[in-house]
Amino acid sequence: MTTNILDNIDLRTLGELLVEARKKCGMTQADAAKVIDVSRPTMVAIEKGERRIKSTELIKLARAYGCPVTDFVRPRPVVQPFEVQFRAVYQRSEKEEAEIKPFILHLQELCQNYLELEKIIDAPLPQNYPLEYEVKNLPIKAAAENIAVAERQRLGLGDGPIPRLRDILEQDVGLRIFYLKMPTKYSEVYSYNEELGGCMAINALHPEERRRWSMAHGYLHFLAHRRKPEFHFDDQYQRVPESEQLAETFSRYFLMPTSGLLKRFNDMCRTHSEFKFTPTNLFTLAHYYGVSVEALVRRLEEMELLRSGTWNKLQDRGLKVRKVQKELALEEIPQRPDMMPLYYQRLAIEALDQGLVTEGRFADFLNVDRLEARCIAEKLREKFQEDSSAMLQETIDFDLRQMQE
């Protein structure tokens, strides 16, 4: 006796998946009804789970929506459509919305995959979320620095640079951060809902220091405005909104904390008999904190360690940042090549190795073809094996005399 897989599927869940897929490709219920040659009320009933869909109808709809049939028949969490906050230049014209929409949908799909992997492995991403910070009636600089200091203390970051910023925000806070290749004018997409928590897409085409800045910027939105979706498009504001000013100021304080930066600035000056801070020091310090030279100069101007207008004067003199970095033999900050976050990768390879997903589904999770997925799988096994060995070695070498009771 043949069993129809559709007989065992929750019709309401299937209906929600059909609605989501139809909306993603911009079709109306009337359009979908035409695809399977039924009336619109019948299509409505199918999407509400009140009328059982035939297998031939599902195949036709999946083809029309550009999805594999398996997207509708395998158990999969359903997430609410994203609301997003934008920064960088965003013209809310039809053209601009059409340009960015695919990236929002891609981020939503990746976050849904993340949730699915957590359920498959039964290992949810730990969330270490603070309460939203209150910023009303506070000066922007004071509010930004207070939040930056509090978060550094909460996460045990001290006052030095944060080279593993992405991993810390994912594994120590519980944010889902993907790298996507977006048009260069977009820096970051941020969204939050109760089911997924905080989610971000960072532009993979930007240099690493800019990605880090965008992550810190998005982190402030999560800390202070997490449930308040907003659209920002700089060219249309005569005055930058306070939430954006706060996010930009927070990035400066979070990535370059006052106490640590002041100490290192003075240490560098002391190495010179005339207590100088040279251009070489400037480039070295920017590299140390993983920020752009411009961001560091403006921070030092703000702290009155350099004269106001220093960055403009450097530009007037024709400063070529990359050229100077090369002359100083300062390597560029290593670009993180992995588009998927670390915990996500670990869940995916564990699901594959435990036989809980097929190789094809593993490739889908990583958004690559099967051949590339096999290469990535080998690299991930080696990577996580090395991590485990390092952790074991660290445990063996640990000085028991340093243990606290």
Side-chain angles (χ1 to χ4, degrees):
M1 181 178 175
T2 303
T3 302
N4 186 339
I5 193 170
L6 293 178
D7 293 340
N8 299 319
I9 288 180
D10 181 84
L11 295 183
R12 189 175 296 277
T13 301
L14 176 58
E16 290 173 352
L17 292 172
L18 287 168
V19 171
E20 183 187 341
R22 175 175 58 75
K23 288 183 176 178
K24 276 185 183 178
C25 67
M27 292 178 67
T28 65
Q29 286 178 321
D31 295 333
K34 287 181 184 175
V35 171
I36 57 175
D37 196 23
V38 298
S39 65
R40 184 175 172 279
T42 301
M43 192 67 228
V44 172
I46 290 173
E47 290 188 347
K48 286 184 176 178
E50 297 170 350
R51 191 275 219 181
R52 186 172 295 281
I53 191 170
K54 300 173 184 174
S55 57
T56 52
E57 293 171 337
L58 181 59
I59 291 169
K60 288 179 181 176
L61 285 178
R63 190 178 300 141
Y65 297 160
C67 307
V69 174
T70 51
D71 276 6
F72 302 101
V73 297
R74 71 171 186 270
R76 198 169 185 223
V78 178
V79 300
Q80 296 301 310
F82 267 23
E83 291 184 277
V84 299
Q85 298 186 63
F86 287 92
R87 85 179 183 95
V89 180
Y90 180 72
Q91 306 290 341
R92 201 176 179 182
S93 65
E94 289 185 4
K95 180 183 175 185
E96 297 289 336
E97 288 196 8
E99 183 180 50
I100 194 62
K101 186 178 179 182
F103 300 101
I104 296 171
L105 294 177
H106 191 191
L107 175 60
Q108 182 177 321
E109 174 74 16
L110 290 169
C111 289
Q112 189 173 27
N113 287 345
Y114 207 141
L115 207 59
E116 184 177 351
L117 280 170
E118 291 174 34
K119 292 182 184 299
I120 290 171
I121 298 294
D122 191 22
L125 177 66
Q127 291 187 346
N128 178 23
Y129 289 2
L131 295 174
E132 283 183 71
Y133 285 88
E134 181 60 60
V135 295
K136 286 182 181 176
N137 304 320
L138 288 175
I140 288 175
K141 283 188 178 180
E145 182 155 29
N146 287 343
I147 297 173
V149 170
E151 279 301 295
R152 275 185 166 265
Q153 289 178 345
R154 190 176 77 88
L155 299 173
L157 298 176
D159 66 359
I162 317 174
R164 293 178 55 253
L165 177 63
R166 182 188 185 187
D167 297 336
I168 287 170
L169 294 184
E170 184 199 18
Q171 297 171 44
D172 295 355
V173 180
L175 303 182
R176 305 171 197 277
I177 304 175
F178 293 88
Y179 284 177
L180 299 184
K181 293 179 180 177
M182 298 186 276
T184 54
K185 64 185 179 184
Y186 300 107
S187 301
E188 153 221 346
V189 178
Y190 167 77
S191 184
Y192 176 91
N193 68 43
E194 297 297 338
E195 189 174 22
L196 290 167
C199 308
M200 275 191 259
I202 303 296
N203 197 332
L205 297 179
H206 288 170
E208 190 63 28
E209 56 263 44
R210 187 168 173 188
R211 296 180 191 174
R212 290 163 46 79
W213 193 273
S214 298
M215 267 184 273
H217 183 111
Y219 189 38
L220 185 280
H221 282 310
F222 166 77
L223 294 170
H225 323 114
R226 84 183 55 155
R227 293 178 179 81
K228 186 181 176 186
E230 293 177 7
F231 290 87
H232 298 296
F233 32 109
D234 296 346
D235 281 358
Q236 297 191 17
Y237 282 111
Q238 291 184 345
R239 181 175 181 276
V240 179
E242 287 193 359
S243 60
E244 284 294 284
Q245 292 182 46
L246 181 67
E248 283 296 289
T249 309
F250 170 82
S251 297
R252 294 202 293 272
Y253 286 115
F254 191 60
L255 296 177
M256 298 172 280
T258 302
S259 58
L261 182 55
L262 181 60
K263 179 179 183 303
R264 286 161 184 83
F265 179 88
N266 285 330
D267 286 346
M268 285 182 158
C269 291
R270 287 193 193 98
T271 60
H272 295 272
S273 57
E274 298 178 10
F275 204 76
K276 286 182 178 179
F277 185 74
T278 67
T280 300
N281 293 144
L282 177 66
F283 277 77
T284 304
L285 199 54
H287 189 268
Y288 177 72
Y289 278 103
V291 298
S292 68
V293 175
E294 179 183 356
L296 177 63
V297 172
R298 295 196 183 283
R299 181 78 172 102
L300 294 175
E301 288 181 22
E302 181 183 64
M303 293 169 67
E304 299 182 351
L305 295 173
L306 294 181
R307 290 182 180 176
S308 177
T310 298
W311 175 247
N312 293 335
K313 288 178 182 174
L314 287 172
Q315 283 191 307
D316 291 342
R317 291 183 182 183
L319 176 70
K320 304 293 183 186
V321 172
R322 295 301 182 202
K323 182 180 177 185
V324 176
Q325 286 173 332
K326 192 172 181 180
E327 289 173 355
L328 294 174
L330 289 174
E331 295 180 0
E332 290 187 22
I333 299 171
Q335 298 280 106
R336 286 287 297 266
D338 37 349
M339 299 290 108
M340 309 299 171
L342 201 58
Y343 190 71
Y344 179 98
Q345 294 177 42
R346 185 183 289 274
L347 292 177
I349 191 64
E350 285 187 14
L352 178 66
D353 288 348
Q354 292 180 32
L356 299 173
V357 299
T358 63
E359 186 180 75
R361 187 60 189 141
F362 174 73
D364 290 341
F365 281 130
L366 297 180
N367 201 28
V368 296
D369 59 36
R370 290 195 184 202
L371 188 60
E372 189 174 352
R374 286 174 194 162
C375 298
I376 292 175
E378 288 306 312
K379 290 178 181 175
L380 289 180
R381 290 185 186 108
E382 291 174 10
K383 174 182 176 58
F384 292 129
Q385 180 64 37
E386 286 173 4
D387 289 349
S388 299
S389 300
M391 288 177 62
L392 180 61
Q393 189 63 39
E394 186 176 312
T395 302
I396 292 171
D397 291 342
F398 187 72
D399 185 352
L400 294 174
R401 295 171 301 175
Q402 301 299 321
M403 287 188 71
Q404 302 292 319
E405 292 184 358

